[in-house]
Amino acid sequence: ASSLSSYRSLTNMSSYFYKSFIKNNFTHKLPDSVIEKMIVRKPVDRNHKLHPRVRKIINKTTQPPEPLTYKLRELPNPDTTFSEPMGTQEELPFEVHRTNFGNLPVYSEYKSSGMRKLTVVRRLYGDIDAFKKELSKIVSNSDIYEKTGRIEVKGIHVEKINLWLRRLGF
C-alpha cells in the first residue's frame, strides 16, 4: 500500500527528475508503457492563460530574426576593439562616437526602484530611424524609445549592443 501511495505522488511530480527512482523501484510492478508515459511528457502550452498584453509582448519578441542590413566585421584576435575602433567598411547612415576614455556610450539604467530596466545609447549622430530599425533586429524587437540626445531600449542589452557596435567598426 505504501508503494502505491508513493507511486501516486510520483505521477504528479516532474518525471524527468524521478526517472531513476521509478526505474529502480517500480520496474517489476509497472508495465513499460506506464513508465514511458511518466517519463516522456508532451510540452504544455500555457500561452492561452496569459494576459493579452503579455501574450502580445511574447509574440513580438520571439519572432525569427531578420537579416542585418549592414555587414559585420570579424573581431581581431586578440580583441583590441575595446579601446580603439576598427573603422567602418562601408558608409553607414549613422555614427556612434566613443567617450573621452575610448568606451562605447552604451549604459544600463534602472528606474522606478529597479522595476524598469533600460539600455541607453548616447552620442548618436546621423539617421536615427535607420539606427533604430537595425537595433531592433539586435535586441529581439524590444521597445525602443527615442529621447533627446539618446536612444532607450527596454531591457538590459548592453553586451549585445556593444558587440554589435564594435563589429560595425565603431
Side-chain angles (χ1 to χ4, degrees):
S2 66
S3 64
L4 183 61
S5 64
S6 63
Y7 164 71
R8 286 184 183 147
S9 66
L10 283 175
T11 56
N12 296 331
M13 296 182 180
S14 175
S15 56
Y16 289 105
F17 183 72
Y18 292 99
K19 181 178 181 179
S20 62
F21 179 79
I22 292 168
K23 287 280 187 188
N24 294 337
N25 295 320
F26 292 113
T27 8
H28 62 283
K29 298 175 186 173
L30 297 174
D32 288 337
S33 61
V34 173
I35 292 175
E36 286 301 316
K37 286 180 186 175
M38 292 171 58
I39 294 172
V40 180
R41 290 185 183 175
K42 294 179 183 175
V44 180
D45 182 28
R46 292 190 172 94
N47 282 347
H48 65 280
K49 294 182 181 180
L50 295 175
H51 190 274
R53 189 175 8 170
V54 175
R55 194 176 318 137
K56 181 180 174 186
I57 291 170
I58 289 174
N59 289 339
K60 178 182 169 186
T61 57
T62 56
Q63 295 294 322
E66 294 180 25
L68 297 174
T69 308
Y70 307 107
K71 186 178 177 186
L72 300 178
R73 297 173 66 179
E74 291 297 321
L75 294 175
N77 191 9
D79 191 5
T80 58
T81 59
F82 289 106
S83 58
E84 58 186 50
M86 290 189 294
T88 57
Q89 282 183 319
E90 57 186 285
E91 192 64 32
L92 299 174
F94 53 85
E95 193 173 340
V96 178
H97 291 259
R98 289 191 175 230
T99 63
N100 293 337
F101 292 106
N103 298 321
L104 285 168
V106 181
Y107 310 100
S108 57
E109 281 189 4
Y110 299 90
K111 296 189 176 188
S112 302
S113 301
M115 294 301 292
R116 186 169 179 226
K117 300 167 187 73
L118 298 172
T119 302
V120 178
V121 182
R122 296 184 185 139
R123 302 179 68 128
L124 179 64
Y125 302 96
D127 189 2
I128 306 295
D129 293 329
F131 181 80
K132 284 171 46 177
K133 184 176 179 183
E134 196 72 7
L135 183 63
S136 69
K137 299 173 188 176
I138 300 297
V139 295
S140 303
N141 294 327
S142 293
D143 293 336
I144 299 176
Y145 310 106
E146 184 178 342
K147 302 286 176 102
T148 304
R150 62 202 230 155
I151 296 286
E152 294 182 351
V153 183
K154 188 174 181 181
I156 302 297
H157 305 282
V158 175
E159 290 181 14
K160 285 192 278 188
I161 296 174
N162 269 332
L163 179 63
W164 173 62
L165 289 174
R166 285 178 25 229
R167 290 189 65 191
L168 277 177
F170 294 116

